[in-house]
Short mmCIF file of all heavy atoms in Angstrom, two decimals:
data_model
loop_
_atom_site.label_atom_id
_atom_site.label_comp_id
_atom_site.label_asym_id
_atom_site.label_seq_id
_atom_site.Cartn_x
_atom_site.Cartn_y
_atom_site.Cartn_z
N MET A 1 18.51 -49.16 26.86
CA MET A 1 19.03 -50.50 27.10
C MET A 1 18.64 -51.44 26.00
O MET A 1 17.57 -51.28 25.44
CB MET A 1 18.66 -50.99 28.45
CG MET A 1 18.95 -50.13 29.63
SD MET A 1 18.28 -50.65 31.12
CE MET A 1 19.48 -51.82 31.61
N LEU A 2 19.54 -52.37 25.56
CA LEU A 2 19.20 -53.23 24.56
C LEU A 2 19.38 -54.80 25.00
O LEU A 2 20.08 -55.04 25.89
CB LEU A 2 20.07 -53.07 23.37
CG LEU A 2 20.10 -51.67 22.76
CD1 LEU A 2 21.17 -51.45 21.71
CD2 LEU A 2 18.74 -51.31 22.15
N ARG A 3 18.53 -55.66 24.38
CA ARG A 3 18.70 -57.08 24.72
C ARG A 3 18.70 -57.74 23.28
O ARG A 3 17.81 -57.59 22.54
CB ARG A 3 17.49 -57.59 25.57
CG ARG A 3 17.65 -58.95 25.87
CD ARG A 3 16.55 -59.38 26.86
NE ARG A 3 15.18 -59.39 26.28
CZ ARG A 3 14.13 -59.71 26.92
NH1 ARG A 3 14.18 -59.99 28.16
NH2 ARG A 3 12.98 -59.76 26.31
N ASP A 4 19.77 -58.51 23.01
CA ASP A 4 20.03 -59.29 21.84
C ASP A 4 19.25 -60.57 21.88
O ASP A 4 19.89 -61.61 22.14
CB ASP A 4 21.42 -59.32 21.53
CG ASP A 4 21.64 -59.80 20.05
OD1 ASP A 4 20.72 -59.68 19.26
OD2 ASP A 4 22.74 -60.20 19.76
N THR A 5 17.98 -60.61 21.50
CA THR A 5 17.23 -61.91 21.46
C THR A 5 16.95 -62.18 19.99
O THR A 5 16.14 -61.56 19.44
CB THR A 5 15.94 -61.85 22.23
OG1 THR A 5 15.18 -60.64 21.72
CG2 THR A 5 16.21 -61.65 23.70
N ARG A 6 17.72 -63.06 19.50
CA ARG A 6 17.63 -63.37 18.06
C ARG A 6 16.29 -64.12 17.79
O ARG A 6 15.88 -64.96 18.57
CB ARG A 6 18.81 -64.09 17.60
CG ARG A 6 20.05 -63.47 17.85
CD ARG A 6 21.05 -63.73 16.65
NE ARG A 6 22.42 -63.21 17.01
CZ ARG A 6 22.75 -61.93 16.77
NH1 ARG A 6 21.93 -61.08 16.33
NH2 ARG A 6 23.98 -61.65 17.07
N PRO A 7 15.60 -63.92 16.77
CA PRO A 7 15.91 -63.00 15.65
C PRO A 7 15.38 -61.56 15.84
O PRO A 7 15.52 -60.76 14.88
CB PRO A 7 15.22 -63.61 14.46
CG PRO A 7 13.92 -64.21 15.10
CD PRO A 7 14.48 -64.63 16.44
N ARG A 8 14.83 -61.25 16.99
CA ARG A 8 14.15 -59.94 17.13
C ARG A 8 14.83 -59.19 18.43
O ARG A 8 14.34 -59.48 19.57
CB ARG A 8 12.75 -60.06 17.48
CG ARG A 8 11.97 -60.66 16.29
CD ARG A 8 10.56 -60.72 16.47
NE ARG A 8 9.88 -61.43 15.47
CZ ARG A 8 9.15 -62.54 15.66
NH1 ARG A 8 9.04 -62.97 16.88
NH2 ARG A 8 8.65 -63.17 14.70
N PRO A 9 15.86 -58.47 18.19
CA PRO A 9 16.53 -57.58 19.35
C PRO A 9 15.42 -56.69 19.89
O PRO A 9 14.54 -56.18 19.20
CB PRO A 9 17.58 -56.86 18.68
CG PRO A 9 17.75 -57.40 17.29
CD PRO A 9 16.53 -58.11 16.92
N ARG A 10 15.60 -56.37 21.22
CA ARG A 10 14.54 -55.58 21.82
C ARG A 10 15.29 -54.43 22.61
O ARG A 10 16.45 -54.38 22.74
CB ARG A 10 13.83 -56.40 22.94
CG ARG A 10 13.08 -57.60 22.30
CD ARG A 10 12.19 -58.34 23.31
NE ARG A 10 11.19 -57.58 23.98
CZ ARG A 10 10.05 -57.33 23.36
NH1 ARG A 10 9.76 -57.64 22.16
NH2 ARG A 10 9.10 -56.55 24.00
N PHE A 11 14.45 -53.38 22.76
CA PHE A 11 14.93 -52.15 23.50
C PHE A 11 14.07 -51.80 24.68
O PHE A 11 12.92 -52.19 24.85
CB PHE A 11 14.98 -50.90 22.55
CG PHE A 11 13.65 -50.39 22.24
CD1 PHE A 11 13.15 -49.30 23.03
CD2 PHE A 11 12.87 -50.83 21.17
CE1 PHE A 11 11.92 -48.85 22.71
CE2 PHE A 11 11.58 -50.35 20.87
CZ PHE A 11 11.10 -49.29 21.65
N TYR A 12 14.66 -51.15 25.67
CA TYR A 12 13.99 -50.58 26.75
C TYR A 12 14.53 -49.17 27.15
O TYR A 12 15.77 -49.02 27.22
CB TYR A 12 14.18 -51.50 28.01
CG TYR A 12 13.22 -51.22 29.21
CD1 TYR A 12 12.03 -51.79 29.25
CD2 TYR A 12 13.65 -50.41 30.21
CE1 TYR A 12 11.23 -51.55 30.42
CE2 TYR A 12 12.84 -50.16 31.30
CZ TYR A 12 11.69 -50.68 31.34
OH TYR A 12 10.77 -50.45 32.43
N ARG A 13 13.70 -48.21 27.20
CA ARG A 13 14.16 -46.82 27.43
C ARG A 13 13.41 -46.26 28.59
O ARG A 13 12.16 -46.42 28.69
CB ARG A 13 13.88 -46.00 26.24
CG ARG A 13 14.37 -44.56 26.27
CD ARG A 13 14.29 -43.80 25.03
NE ARG A 13 12.95 -43.41 24.80
CZ ARG A 13 12.60 -42.08 24.57
NH1 ARG A 13 13.54 -41.18 24.60
NH2 ARG A 13 11.34 -41.78 24.40
N VAL A 14 14.16 -45.55 29.50
CA VAL A 14 13.62 -44.82 30.67
C VAL A 14 14.11 -43.42 30.53
O VAL A 14 15.26 -43.15 30.45
CB VAL A 14 14.12 -45.52 32.01
CG1 VAL A 14 13.48 -44.80 33.14
CG2 VAL A 14 13.69 -46.95 32.04
N GLU A 15 13.22 -42.55 30.60
CA GLU A 15 13.55 -41.13 30.47
C GLU A 15 12.83 -40.26 31.51
O GLU A 15 11.53 -40.29 31.66
CB GLU A 15 13.20 -40.58 29.07
CG GLU A 15 13.43 -39.10 28.79
CD GLU A 15 13.05 -38.73 27.31
OE1 GLU A 15 13.62 -39.23 26.45
OE2 GLU A 15 12.19 -37.92 27.27
N VAL A 16 13.58 -39.39 32.19
CA VAL A 16 13.06 -38.45 33.20
C VAL A 16 13.08 -37.12 32.53
O VAL A 16 14.03 -36.58 31.97
CB VAL A 16 13.96 -38.42 34.47
CG1 VAL A 16 13.47 -37.45 35.45
CG2 VAL A 16 14.04 -39.74 35.09
N SER A 17 11.90 -36.34 32.60
CA SER A 17 11.76 -35.06 32.06
C SER A 17 10.92 -34.13 32.95
O SER A 17 10.32 -34.58 33.76
CB SER A 17 11.21 -35.12 30.61
OG SER A 17 9.95 -35.72 30.65
N TYR A 18 11.01 -32.89 32.63
CA TYR A 18 10.35 -31.73 33.42
C TYR A 18 9.42 -31.07 32.49
O TYR A 18 9.73 -30.89 31.32
CB TYR A 18 11.37 -30.85 33.87
CG TYR A 18 11.00 -29.70 34.70
CD1 TYR A 18 10.55 -29.84 36.06
CD2 TYR A 18 11.01 -28.48 34.17
CE1 TYR A 18 10.16 -28.82 36.79
CE2 TYR A 18 10.55 -27.36 34.91
CZ TYR A 18 10.12 -27.61 36.15
OH TYR A 18 9.70 -26.48 36.93
N ASN A 19 8.21 -30.68 32.93
CA ASN A 19 7.30 -29.98 32.13
C ASN A 19 7.14 -28.56 32.70
O ASN A 19 7.64 -28.13 33.69
CB ASN A 19 5.95 -30.71 32.08
CG ASN A 19 5.13 -30.73 33.22
OD1 ASN A 19 5.45 -29.98 34.24
ND2 ASN A 19 4.17 -31.54 33.34
N LEU A 20 6.42 -27.75 31.97
CA LEU A 20 6.13 -26.41 32.22
C LEU A 20 5.25 -26.08 33.53
O LEU A 20 5.28 -25.05 34.15
CB LEU A 20 5.46 -25.65 31.12
CG LEU A 20 6.28 -25.64 29.89
CD1 LEU A 20 5.40 -24.99 28.72
CD2 LEU A 20 7.52 -24.79 29.98
N PHE A 21 4.59 -27.12 34.07
CA PHE A 21 3.86 -26.99 35.24
C PHE A 21 4.50 -27.43 36.54
O PHE A 21 3.91 -27.43 37.65
CB PHE A 21 2.58 -27.93 35.11
CG PHE A 21 1.75 -27.56 33.89
CD1 PHE A 21 1.73 -28.41 32.79
CD2 PHE A 21 1.03 -26.29 33.85
CE1 PHE A 21 0.97 -28.06 31.71
CE2 PHE A 21 0.35 -26.05 32.72
CZ PHE A 21 0.23 -26.81 31.61
N GLY A 22 5.81 -27.59 36.48
CA GLY A 22 6.64 -27.96 37.60
C GLY A 22 6.52 -29.35 38.05
O GLY A 22 6.87 -29.69 39.12
N GLU A 23 6.22 -30.21 37.19
CA GLU A 23 6.07 -31.65 37.47
C GLU A 23 7.11 -32.45 36.72
O GLU A 23 7.59 -31.93 35.66
CB GLU A 23 4.69 -32.25 37.08
CG GLU A 23 3.53 -31.55 37.76
CD GLU A 23 2.21 -31.98 37.11
OE1 GLU A 23 2.20 -32.26 35.90
OE2 GLU A 23 1.31 -32.07 37.87
N TYR A 24 7.49 -33.63 37.22
CA TYR A 24 8.44 -34.48 36.55
C TYR A 24 7.81 -35.67 36.07
O TYR A 24 6.81 -36.16 36.72
CB TYR A 24 9.64 -34.87 37.51
CG TYR A 24 10.40 -33.63 37.88
CD1 TYR A 24 9.99 -32.84 39.01
CD2 TYR A 24 11.54 -33.29 37.19
CE1 TYR A 24 10.79 -31.77 39.36
CE2 TYR A 24 12.24 -32.13 37.48
CZ TYR A 24 11.85 -31.43 38.64
OH TYR A 24 12.57 -30.21 39.02
N SER A 25 8.19 -36.18 34.97
CA SER A 25 7.60 -37.45 34.46
C SER A 25 8.67 -38.35 34.14
O SER A 25 9.83 -38.14 33.82
CB SER A 25 6.76 -37.15 33.22
OG SER A 25 7.60 -36.66 32.17
N VAL A 26 8.25 -39.73 34.23
CA VAL A 26 9.25 -40.84 33.87
C VAL A 26 8.51 -41.58 32.66
O VAL A 26 7.39 -42.04 32.88
CB VAL A 26 9.48 -41.78 34.92
CG1 VAL A 26 10.41 -42.93 34.43
CG2 VAL A 26 10.21 -41.04 36.09
N LEU A 27 9.10 -41.51 31.51
CA LEU A 27 8.58 -42.18 30.37
C LEU A 27 9.25 -43.50 30.14
O LEU A 27 10.51 -43.60 30.20
CB LEU A 27 8.78 -41.39 29.10
CG LEU A 27 8.35 -42.01 27.78
CD1 LEU A 27 6.88 -42.35 27.67
CD2 LEU A 27 8.81 -41.21 26.62
N ARG A 28 8.57 -44.58 30.12
CA ARG A 28 9.18 -45.93 29.82
C ARG A 28 8.66 -46.44 28.43
O ARG A 28 7.45 -46.37 28.25
CB ARG A 28 8.80 -46.97 30.89
CG ARG A 28 9.40 -46.64 32.27
CD ARG A 28 9.12 -47.72 33.22
NE ARG A 28 7.73 -47.89 33.64
CZ ARG A 28 7.09 -48.94 33.96
NH1 ARG A 28 7.82 -50.02 34.15
NH2 ARG A 28 5.85 -48.94 34.23
N GLU A 29 9.55 -46.85 27.61
CA GLU A 29 9.24 -47.46 26.26
C GLU A 29 9.92 -48.73 26.15
O GLU A 29 11.05 -48.92 26.54
CB GLU A 29 9.63 -46.49 25.18
CG GLU A 29 8.82 -45.20 25.06
CD GLU A 29 9.20 -44.39 23.92
OE1 GLU A 29 10.46 -44.11 23.74
OE2 GLU A 29 8.35 -44.01 23.06
N TRP A 30 9.22 -49.77 25.52
CA TRP A 30 9.90 -50.93 25.32
C TRP A 30 9.34 -51.61 24.05
O TRP A 30 8.20 -51.30 23.66
CB TRP A 30 9.79 -51.92 26.56
CG TRP A 30 8.36 -52.21 26.90
CD1 TRP A 30 7.62 -53.37 26.40
CD2 TRP A 30 7.40 -51.38 27.61
NE1 TRP A 30 6.32 -53.23 27.01
CE2 TRP A 30 6.12 -52.10 27.65
CE3 TRP A 30 7.59 -50.26 28.36
CZ2 TRP A 30 5.09 -51.66 28.43
CZ3 TRP A 30 6.42 -49.83 29.10
CH2 TRP A 30 5.32 -50.49 29.13
N GLY A 31 10.06 -52.56 23.42
CA GLY A 31 9.58 -53.26 22.27
C GLY A 31 10.68 -53.74 21.42
O GLY A 31 11.87 -53.81 21.83
N GLN A 32 10.29 -54.11 20.25
CA GLN A 32 11.28 -54.69 19.27
C GLN A 32 12.07 -53.45 18.65
O GLN A 32 11.39 -52.44 18.34
CB GLN A 32 10.67 -55.42 18.19
CG GLN A 32 10.08 -56.77 18.61
CD GLN A 32 9.46 -57.61 17.54
OE1 GLN A 32 9.64 -57.29 16.36
NE2 GLN A 32 8.66 -58.66 17.87
N ARG A 33 13.30 -53.68 18.36
CA ARG A 33 14.04 -52.60 17.64
C ARG A 33 13.57 -52.46 16.21
O ARG A 33 13.31 -53.38 15.58
CB ARG A 33 15.59 -52.97 17.61
CG ARG A 33 16.19 -52.76 19.03
CD ARG A 33 17.61 -53.03 18.97
NE ARG A 33 18.36 -52.10 18.12
CZ ARG A 33 19.57 -52.20 17.78
NH1 ARG A 33 20.35 -53.18 18.26
NH2 ARG A 33 20.20 -51.32 16.93
N GLY A 34 13.40 -51.20 15.83
CA GLY A 34 12.97 -50.92 14.50
C GLY A 34 11.44 -50.88 14.33
O GLY A 34 10.98 -50.52 13.22
N LYS A 35 10.74 -51.09 15.42
CA LYS A 35 9.31 -51.05 15.40
C LYS A 35 8.83 -50.19 16.56
O LYS A 35 9.57 -49.82 17.46
CB LYS A 35 8.66 -52.42 15.56
CG LYS A 35 8.91 -53.43 14.46
CD LYS A 35 8.16 -54.66 14.58
CE LYS A 35 8.51 -55.55 13.36
NZ LYS A 35 7.71 -56.78 13.40
N ARG A 36 7.55 -49.74 16.38
CA ARG A 36 6.96 -48.93 17.51
C ARG A 36 6.69 -49.85 18.67
O ARG A 36 6.07 -50.86 18.55
CB ARG A 36 5.72 -48.34 16.96
CG ARG A 36 5.07 -47.33 17.90
CD ARG A 36 3.88 -46.71 17.25
NE ARG A 36 3.45 -45.61 18.13
CZ ARG A 36 2.70 -44.68 17.69
NH1 ARG A 36 2.40 -44.62 16.45
NH2 ARG A 36 2.26 -43.77 18.59
N GLY A 37 7.11 -49.32 19.86
CA GLY A 37 7.03 -50.11 21.06
C GLY A 37 5.83 -49.58 21.91
O GLY A 37 4.97 -48.86 21.31
N GLN A 38 5.74 -50.12 23.06
CA GLN A 38 4.74 -49.65 23.99
C GLN A 38 5.33 -48.60 24.91
O GLN A 38 6.61 -48.53 25.09
CB GLN A 38 4.21 -50.78 24.85
CG GLN A 38 3.61 -51.86 24.00
CD GLN A 38 3.02 -53.02 24.92
OE1 GLN A 38 3.42 -53.11 26.18
NE2 GLN A 38 2.26 -53.89 24.32
N ALA A 39 4.43 -47.70 25.47
CA ALA A 39 5.03 -46.63 26.33
C ALA A 39 4.05 -46.48 27.44
O ALA A 39 2.89 -46.68 27.47
CB ALA A 39 5.09 -45.27 25.46
N LEU A 40 4.65 -45.94 28.63
CA LEU A 40 3.91 -45.73 29.78
C LEU A 40 4.52 -44.47 30.48
O LEU A 40 5.75 -44.40 30.65
CB LEU A 40 4.04 -46.89 30.86
CG LEU A 40 3.29 -46.81 32.14
CD1 LEU A 40 1.71 -46.71 31.83
CD2 LEU A 40 3.61 -47.85 33.03
N LEU A 41 3.66 -43.55 30.76
CA LEU A 41 4.19 -42.30 31.32
C LEU A 41 3.63 -42.05 32.74
O LEU A 41 2.40 -42.32 33.01
CB LEU A 41 3.70 -41.11 30.49
CG LEU A 41 4.07 -39.67 30.92
CD1 LEU A 41 5.63 -39.55 30.62
CD2 LEU A 41 3.34 -38.66 30.09
N VAL A 42 4.58 -41.78 33.73
CA VAL A 42 4.15 -41.76 35.12
C VAL A 42 4.60 -40.34 35.64
O VAL A 42 5.73 -40.00 35.39
CB VAL A 42 4.79 -42.78 36.06
CG1 VAL A 42 4.41 -42.76 37.45
CG2 VAL A 42 4.50 -44.20 35.45
N TRP A 43 3.79 -39.62 36.32
CA TRP A 43 4.07 -38.26 36.82
C TRP A 43 4.51 -38.27 38.24
O TRP A 43 4.01 -39.08 39.10
CB TRP A 43 2.83 -37.37 36.66
CG TRP A 43 2.43 -37.20 35.37
CD1 TRP A 43 1.44 -37.94 34.68
CD2 TRP A 43 2.92 -36.32 34.39
NE1 TRP A 43 1.36 -37.52 33.27
CE2 TRP A 43 2.26 -36.52 33.23
CE3 TRP A 43 3.99 -35.33 34.42
CZ2 TRP A 43 2.58 -35.80 31.99
CZ3 TRP A 43 4.19 -34.56 33.25
CH2 TRP A 43 3.56 -34.84 32.06
N PHE A 44 5.37 -37.35 38.62
CA PHE A 44 5.88 -37.23 40.03
C PHE A 44 5.98 -35.77 40.40
O PHE A 44 6.08 -34.89 39.53
CB PHE A 44 7.33 -37.82 40.15
CG PHE A 44 7.33 -39.27 39.92
CD1 PHE A 44 7.58 -39.83 38.65
CD2 PHE A 44 7.10 -40.19 41.04
CE1 PHE A 44 7.54 -41.18 38.48
CE2 PHE A 44 7.15 -41.54 40.80
CZ PHE A 44 7.36 -42.05 39.53
N SER A 45 5.86 -35.46 41.67
CA SER A 45 5.77 -34.14 42.08
C SER A 45 7.19 -33.46 42.29
O SER A 45 7.35 -32.30 42.42
CB SER A 45 4.95 -33.87 43.37
OG SER A 45 5.50 -34.69 44.35
N ASN A 46 8.21 -34.32 42.50
CA ASN A 46 9.54 -33.85 42.67
C ASN A 46 10.52 -34.70 41.93
O ASN A 46 10.33 -35.83 41.53
CB ASN A 46 9.94 -33.70 44.12
CG ASN A 46 9.92 -34.95 44.89
OD1 ASN A 46 10.55 -35.95 44.50
ND2 ASN A 46 9.23 -35.07 45.99
#
């Protein structure tokens, strides 16, 4: 997802993924476009 806030547009990404141990994770990343943002990873059992 993107937000056009001039002069610095921002992004927000949510990703669901599966690992080899049978767990699911949700990765959230946010920040300014073109720069390294912040990230938070949360684990779930199903």
Side-chain angles (χ1 to χ4, degrees):
M1 304 175 79
L2 301 174
R3 184 171 70 180
D4 190 20
T5 54
R6 300 218 191 274
R8 299 183 188 119
R10 300 186 60 81
F11 74 92
Y12 191 88
R13 184 172 79 120
V14 179
E15 179 179 297
V16 177
S17 59
Y18 180 75
N19 70 13
L20 296 174
F21 302 109
E23 300 170 325
Y24 294 89
S25 64
V26 177
L27 172 67
R28 294 187 292 156
E29 291 183 305
W30 62 93
Q32 291 180 12
R33 287 182 63 188
K35 295 189 177 182
R36 187 175 186 157
Q38 296 180 350
L40 181 66
L41 185 65
V42 181
W43 297 96
F44 295 91
S45 60
N46 63 52

